[in-house]
C-alpha cells in the first residue's frame, strides 16, 4: 500500500549528486524524498573519503570549465550556509608530458574563461617544485590558480544537512527495489511504497543494474580505485601551504596520475591512478588491484623521491565511467518523468552542485541553461533503442 502523498520528486541515491539534486528541488519548493540504500554515512559508493580535487582546468572540454565557474560559487555558498571549511585553495599543477599537448589546451581554456593561471617552462617548474623529479622536455607545467581540494565527506554531510534544514525528507537504509513507471511513478523499497510525479536516478555505481531493469542499455563500466597515501620522508615537504594538488596525463601508460598534498592525514600525500580494475559494486573488494599499487610505487620512486616508496594507508572507491568520460544527464527514452544522472567518470564531485541543479530542473519542467548536448543518453544507445 503506497503512502498517500505524491511527492513532486523522489531522488534515489544520496551520494553527492543525488543529495545536491534533492536540495535544489526542495529549494525550488518541491516536496522531495531522497532515498539511500545504506545507513549514512557509508563508504560503498563514490562520494565518501577525505578529499576531491576541484579545478577549472579541463583541457579541451571547455563546457566543464564553464560549469565550474558556477560550481565554485555554489561550494562557497555551502561553506557559508554550513559554517564549515569545505574547500582548500592550493592551485593545481598540471604537469606536462612528452608528446601530449594537454598543457596548451589547458592554458587556452583557462585564458578564455578568465581563470588565473601560470605557465612554467621545464626550468621554472623544477626550480619551483624541487621535491618533484621530471626529466626536461616534458613541456613544464600549467598552474590553475583557482584549484584545490574539497573535504569530500564533510561536504556530503553539509549538503544533506542543508537539504533537511529546508524541509527535505531523507530516508537512509532503505533500498529502492522496483520502479513502476506511469504518470504517477511508484517506487517500491525494501520498506515501503512511495509515489512521485518524477523520479531522479542518481545511483552512482549501481546505475547500469538499475537502468538495465528499466530497459536502457548503457555502456557504463565500474572500476575499483585504490586510494593510496604515501608518507613524507621529511615532514612538511608536501604541506598544502607550499605544495599544490597535481596531475599528469599519460603518466602511467595512457592513464593519469593525480595527488593531493598533506592535509587530510598528517604527513601523508595522496597519490592515485585515475584507473582501476573493472568491478561489480556489490563485490568491490574481490578484485585484485595490487598491480595499481606496484605501478604507483614505480611512479613515486621516479617522480616523488621525497616520499617513502610504499603506501602506508590504502582506501577504496568506485568510478562509474562512460566511454567518453562525459556524464549522462538525460531522461528515460520512453518515460520522460524518469530522469537519469549517471556516469560521472571519476570527475563528478566538484561539479555536483551544478549537476544537481540541472537534474532538479529537468525533474521539475525547467530547462537548464547549460549546453546539454554532451550529456545525452542516445550518444551510446541510439541504434539499440
Ligand atoms: C577515488 C576517487 C577519486 C575521485 N576524485 C575526484 C576528484 O578529485 N574530483 C572530482 O570532481 N571527482 C572525483 N571523483 C568522482 C566523484 O567522487 C564521483 O563522480 C561522485 O562522487 C559521484 O557521485 P554519485 O552521487 O553519482 O555516486 P555515489 O556517491 O556512489 O552515490 C550513489 C548512491 O546511490 C545509492 N544507491 C544505489 N542504488 C540504490 C538503490 N537501489 N536504492 C537506494 N539507494 C541506492 C548508493 O548507495 C550511493 O550512496 C572521484 C571518485 C573516486 C572513487
Amino acid at each position: 500500500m503506497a503512502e498517500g502523498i505524491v511527492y513532486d520528486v523522489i531522488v534515489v541515491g544520496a551520494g553527492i549528486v543525488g543529495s545536491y539534486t534533492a536540495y535544489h528541488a526542495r529549494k525550488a519548493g518541491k516536496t522531495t524524498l531522497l532515498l539511500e540504500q545504506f545507513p549514512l554515512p557509508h563508504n560503498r559508493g563514490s562520494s565518501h573519503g577525505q578529499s576531491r580535487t576541484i579545478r577549472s582546468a579541463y583541457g579541451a572540454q571547455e563546457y566543464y570549465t564553464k560549469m565550474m565557474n558556477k560550481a565554485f560559487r555554489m561550494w562557497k555558498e555551502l561553506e557559508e550556509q554550513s559554517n564549515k571549511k569545505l574547500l582548500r585553495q592550493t592551485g593545481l599543477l598540471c604537469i606536462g608530458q612528452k608528446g601530449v599537448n594537454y598543457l596548451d589546451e589547458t592554458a587556452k581554456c583557462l585564458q578564455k574563461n578568465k581563470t588565473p593561471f601560470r605557465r612554467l617552462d621545464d626550468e621554472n617548474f623544477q626550480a619551483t617544485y624541487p621535491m618533484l623529479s621530471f626529466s626536461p622536455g616534458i613541456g613544464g607545467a600549467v598552474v590553475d590558480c583557482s584549484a584545490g581540494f574539497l573535504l569530500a565527506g564533510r561536504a556530503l554531510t553539509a549538503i544533506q544537512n542543508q537539504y533537511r534544514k529546508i524541509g527535505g525528507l531523507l530516508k537512509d537504509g532503505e533500498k529502492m527495489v522496483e520502479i513502476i513507471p506511469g504518470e504517477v511513478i511508484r517506487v517500491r523499497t525494501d520498506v515501503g511504497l512511495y509515489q512521485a510525479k518524477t523520479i531522479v536516478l542518481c545511483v552512482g555505481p549501481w546505475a547500469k543494474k538499475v537502468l538495465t531493469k528499466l530497459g536502457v542499455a548503457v555502456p557504463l563500466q565500474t572500476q575499483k580505485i585504490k586510494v593510496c597515501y604515501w608518507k613524507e620522508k621529511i615532514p612538511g615537504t608536501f604541506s598544502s601551504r607550499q605544495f599544490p594538488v597535481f596531475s599528469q596525463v599519460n603518466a602511467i601508460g595512457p592513464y593519469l596520475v593525480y595527488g593531493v598534498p598533506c592535509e587530510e592525514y598528517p604527513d601523508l600525500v595522496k597519490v592515485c591512478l585515475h584507473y582501476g580494475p573493472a568491478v561489480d559494486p556489490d563485490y568491490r573488494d574481490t578484485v585484485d588491484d595490487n598491480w595499481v599499487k606496484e605501478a604507483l610505487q614505480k611512479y613515486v620512486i621516479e617522480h616523488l623521491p621525497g616520499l617513502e616508496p610504499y603506501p602506508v594507508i590504502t582506501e577504496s572507491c568506485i568510478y562509474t565511467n562512460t566511454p567518453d568520460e562525459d556524464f549522462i544527464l538525460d531522461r528515460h527514452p520512453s518515460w520522460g518523468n524518469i530522469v537519469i544522472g549517471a556516469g560521472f567518470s571519476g570527475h563528478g564531485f566538484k561539479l555536483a552542485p551544478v549537476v544537481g541543479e540541472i537534474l532538479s530542473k529537468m525533474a521539475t519542467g525547467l530547462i537548464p541553461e547549460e549546453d546539454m548536448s554532451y550529456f545525452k543518453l542516445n550518444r551510446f544507445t541510439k541504434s539499440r533503442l
Side-chain angles (χ1 to χ4, degrees):
M1 184 71 171
E3 268 187 348
I5 179 170
V6 177
Y7 291 95
D8 291 320
V9 184
I10 291 180
V11 180
V12 186
I16 195 66
V17 175
S19 300
Y20 252 113
T21 302
Y23 166 77
H24 284 296
R26 180 64 206 139
K27 200 172 151 207
K30 306 298 173 189
T31 50
T32 311
L33 170 64
L34 174 58
L35 289 171
E36 167 55 48
Q37 63 180 343
F38 300 127
L40 291 169
H42 74 83
N43 62 6
R44 295 273 310 271
S46 305
S47 301
H48 60 280
Q50 298 289 324
S51 71
R52 293 292 185 280
T53 306
I54 182 165
R55 61 189 152 102
S56 301
Y58 251 104
Q61 293 160 297
E62 201 192 335
Y63 41 102
Y64 290 119
T65 302
K66 284 189 181 149
M67 288 162 79
M68 279 311 301
N69 289 336
K70 203 199 265 186
F72 271 109
R73 285 200 299 278
M74 289 173 155
W75 283 117
K76 297 229 162 83
E77 196 177 284
L78 183 61
E79 276 193 325
E80 280 159 27
Q81 287 168 336
S82 61
N83 199 22
K84 290 241 166 4
K85 190 80 193 146
L86 303 176
L87 202 162
R88 280 282 284 118
Q89 195 177 356
T90 61
L92 165 70
L93 182 68
C94 303
I95 302 168
Q97 179 63 288
K98 275 186 190 137
V100 181
N101 73 343
Y102 182 79
L103 292 189
D104 290 340
E105 286 168 346
T106 299
K108 207 165 105 190
C109 171
L110 292 174
Q111 190 163 31
K112 199 167 159 202
N113 283 280
K114 300 189 173 57
T115 304
F117 73 97
R118 280 183 293 134
R119 183 102 205 213
L120 303 173
D121 61 19
D122 277 342
E123 212 175 306
N124 282 337
F125 169 49
Q126 280 302 339
T128 314
Y129 299 105
M131 63 289 268
L132 299 178
S133 169
F134 287 89
S135 51
I138 58 164
V142 166
V143 183
D144 168 358
C145 302
S146 72
F149 60 92
L150 290 157
L151 300 172
R154 195 190 274 191
L156 180 60
T157 304
I159 192 59
Q160 288 167 352
N161 287 344
Q162 287 309 307
Y163 166 67
R164 286 198 187 95
K165 206 167 160 181
I166 58 174
L169 181 60
L170 195 171
K171 294 192 179 200
D172 65 343
E174 187 163 346
K175 182 176 177 176
M176 179 274 292
V177 291
E178 189 184 6
I179 295 169
I180 305 157
E183 206 168 306
V184 169
I185 302 175
R186 280 178 294 161
V187 177
R188 193 183 303 281
T189 70
D190 49 7
V191 174
L193 187 64
Y194 304 97
Q195 305 180 91
K197 292 178 192 160
T198 313
I199 179 173
V200 188
L201 297 173
C202 302
V203 288
W206 286 267
K208 191 168 182 170
K209 292 188 181 191
V210 169
L211 291 172
T212 303
K213 277 194 192 166
L214 290 168
V216 181
V218 273
L220 292 172
Q221 194 205 40
T222 38
Q223 289 180 350
K224 179 180 179 186
I225 301 299
K226 208 172 179 81
V227 180
C228 299
Y229 290 91
W230 312 73
K231 197 165 180 56
E232 295 173 301
K233 288 180 181 162
I234 302 171
T237 317
F238 293 90
S239 152
S240 60
R241 281 186 296 278
Q242 65 195 44
F243 190 73
V245 169
F246 68 93
S247 69
Q248 187 184 30
V249 293
N250 294 20
I252 297 180
Y255 308 117
L256 177 138
V257 166
Y258 65 93
V260 177
C262 298
E263 187 161 308
E264 312 167 48
Y265 302 125
D267 308 336
L268 301 190
V269 180
K270 175 166 149 180
V271 183
C272 302
L273 186 67
H274 185 62
Y275 187 72
V279 73
D280 179 328
D282 292 312
Y283 296 84
R284 188 193 67 189
D285 294 337
T286 59
V287 286
D288 174 14
D289 59 355
N290 266 330
W291 58 269
V292 174
K293 189 176 82 179
E294 283 159 18
L296 281 169
Q297 269 177 312
K298 282 190 193 144
Y299 186 87
V300 165
I301 290 168
E302 190 177 349
H303 300 300
L304 295 126
L307 297 178
E308 299 287 357
Y310 50 89
V312 292
I313 299 289
T314 60
E315 296 172 357
S316 300
C317 190
I318 304 179
Y319 282 178
T320 308
N321 289 345
T322 59
D324 56 12
E325 297 194 0
D326 278 331
F327 307 157
I328 295 170
L329 308 174
D330 207 346
R331 293 173 193 284
H332 187 285
S334 307
W335 299 298
N337 56 355
I338 300 180
V339 176
I340 300 161
F344 296 102
S345 305
H347 65 108
F349 202 98
K350 67 181 92 56
L351 285 150
V354 177
V355 166
E357 186 183 62
I358 290 172
L359 293 171
S360 152
K361 283 186 175 170
M362 290 173 73
T364 56
L366 300 171
I367 297 170
E369 64 203 38
E370 286 76 15
D371 181 352
M372 299 300 291
S373 61
Y374 300 98
F375 309 125
K376 297 276 179 218
L377 190 57
N378 69 3
R379 70 189 193 273
F380 311 118
T381 55
K382 214 169 202 166
S383 56
R384 268 175 281 170
L385 283 172

